[in-house]
């Protein structure tokens, strides 16, 4: 194990134990078995350490999601199960990184303060991967997405379902309930994706762009 890996492991341990605000460079150096000067050789500040562990968590989440999607796809699962498996793997990895910490809400809020650019960067990467997955499965399984949506539009709805679930579970706790509800919403959205060969009578109706305006009854002599 190299010094940088040891430092990041120690950083995560310290942040989980003390939160961001009460953690210090000295605590991380001690947990890593290094001097403060040695730690500064790799990271210039506590904020830099925080950003580094956030980046590592996101990279781990991407790897977990990719592996889960590949496994579900190889098993011949449908679109809903494939997307749900990937998102459960992604969010489970993130949750596990801070499992047991009494400072979850603080750490999540500080994440947006000190690493908003990373949050936006990885949000874009997750979205790109989901669009690619949906496009591939739709093509492979010969599906039509609900309401005539494009893969990019449908991916946006799936991500919105995840954020809606997060809004109901502060800090994504309890984790089991959060993951269950998120997966249920994703599968429900995907239930509208049907095979191209399905008879028209069995396909869900496509929502019209606008309702046809009802004709107005004429009146005579001021009476209907």
């Amino acid at each position: 194990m190299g010094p940088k890996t040891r430092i990041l492991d120690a950083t995560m341990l310290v942040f989980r134990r003390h939160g961001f605000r009460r953690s210090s460079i000295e605590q991380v150096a001690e947990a890593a078995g290094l001097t403060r000067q040695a730690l500064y050789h790799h990271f210039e500040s506590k904020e830099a350490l925080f950003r580094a562990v956030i980046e590592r968590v996101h990279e781990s989440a991407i790897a977990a999601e990719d592996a889960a999607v590949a496994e579900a796809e190889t098993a011949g699962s449908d679109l809903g199960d494939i997307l749900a498996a990937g998102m459960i793997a992604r969010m489970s990895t993130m949750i596990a990184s801070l499992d047991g910490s009494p400072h979850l809400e603080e750490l999540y809020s500080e994440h947006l303060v000190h690493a908003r650019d990373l949050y936006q960067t990885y949000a874009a990467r997750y979205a790109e991967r989901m669009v690619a997955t949906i496009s591939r499965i739709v093509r492979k399984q010969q599906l039509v997405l609900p309401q005539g949506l494009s893969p990019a539009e449908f991916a946006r709805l799936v991500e919105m379902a995840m954020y809606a679930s997060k809004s109901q579970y502060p800090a994504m706790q309890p984790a089991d309930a959060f993951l269950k509800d998120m997966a249920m919403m994703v599968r429900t959205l995907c239930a509208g994706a049907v095979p191209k060969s399905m008879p028209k009578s069995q396909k869900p109706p496509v929502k019209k762009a606008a309702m046809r305006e009802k004709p107005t009854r004429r009146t005579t002599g001021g009476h209907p």
Side-chain angles (χ1 to χ4, degrees):
M1 181 188 298
K4 192 168 183 178
T5 299
R6 192 161 77 247
I7 290 170
L8 292 180
D9 288 345
T11 301
M12 183 61 77
L13 177 66
V14 170
F15 284 150
R16 285 169 59 179
R17 185 175 297 165
H18 303 289
F20 176 79
R21 295 166 200 152
R22 295 185 178 182
S23 295
S24 67
I25 287 285
E26 290 80 9
Q27 289 169 329
V28 174
E30 182 180 356
L34 299 171
T35 65
R36 180 175 176 175
Q37 289 72 24
L39 191 148
Y40 275 127
H41 178 72
H42 298 279
F43 296 96
E44 61 184 9
S45 65
K46 182 173 74 171
E47 289 74 18
L49 282 167
F50 193 51
R51 287 175 60 86
V53 294
I54 288 170
E55 193 167 7
R56 186 167 74 160
V57 168
H58 280 301
E59 289 294 338
S60 296
I62 284 176
E65 182 171 18
D66 286 350
V69 165
E71 182 178 354
E73 190 174 345
T74 300
S77 301
D78 61 22
L79 179 64
D81 284 344
I82 291 171
L83 295 186
M87 295 190 76
I88 288 173
R90 181 208 306 181
M91 302 312 297
S92 294
T93 300
M94 292 184 176
I95 292 169
S97 67
L98 299 175
D99 186 40
S101 173
H103 306 284
L104 286 175
E105 292 189 23
E106 178 200 335
L107 290 168
Y108 284 128
S109 64
E110 292 294 337
H111 171 198
L112 296 178
V113 172
H114 298 286
R116 182 172 292 276
D117 60 319
L118 287 179
Y119 175 83
Q120 294 170 339
T121 295
Y122 281 100
R125 288 183 62 184
Y126 292 128
E128 288 170 2
R129 277 173 151 70
M130 182 165 293
V131 171
T133 297
I134 293 171
S135 299
R136 185 175 65 254
I137 301 306
V138 163
R139 183 173 60 252
K140 183 177 179 180
Q141 299 186 3
Q142 292 294 294
L143 301 175
V144 176
L145 294 173
Q147 305 295 326
L149 295 171
S150 69
E153 292 169 331
F154 192 70
R156 182 171 176 270
L157 291 182
V158 174
E159 291 287 347
M160 287 172 65
M162 182 268 288
Y163 287 116
S165 299
K166 285 174 68 175
S167 71
Q168 299 300 309
Y169 295 92
M172 296 181 284
Q173 297 296 318
D176 288 346
F178 161 68
L179 294 171
K180 180 180 179 182
D181 280 2
M182 180 188 69
M184 179 174 61
M185 292 181 70
V186 171
R187 290 189 177 101
T188 300
L189 279 173
C190 292
V194 296
K196 288 182 179 180
S197 59
M198 179 179 288
K200 290 184 178 180
S201 60
Q202 296 182 28
K203 292 183 179 181
V206 175
K207 189 176 182 180
K208 294 181 179 179
M211 295 290 290
R212 185 175 296 174
E213 189 174 323
K214 292 183 179 179
T216 303
R217 294 177 60 185
R218 295 185 177 178
T219 60
T220 304
H223 298 285

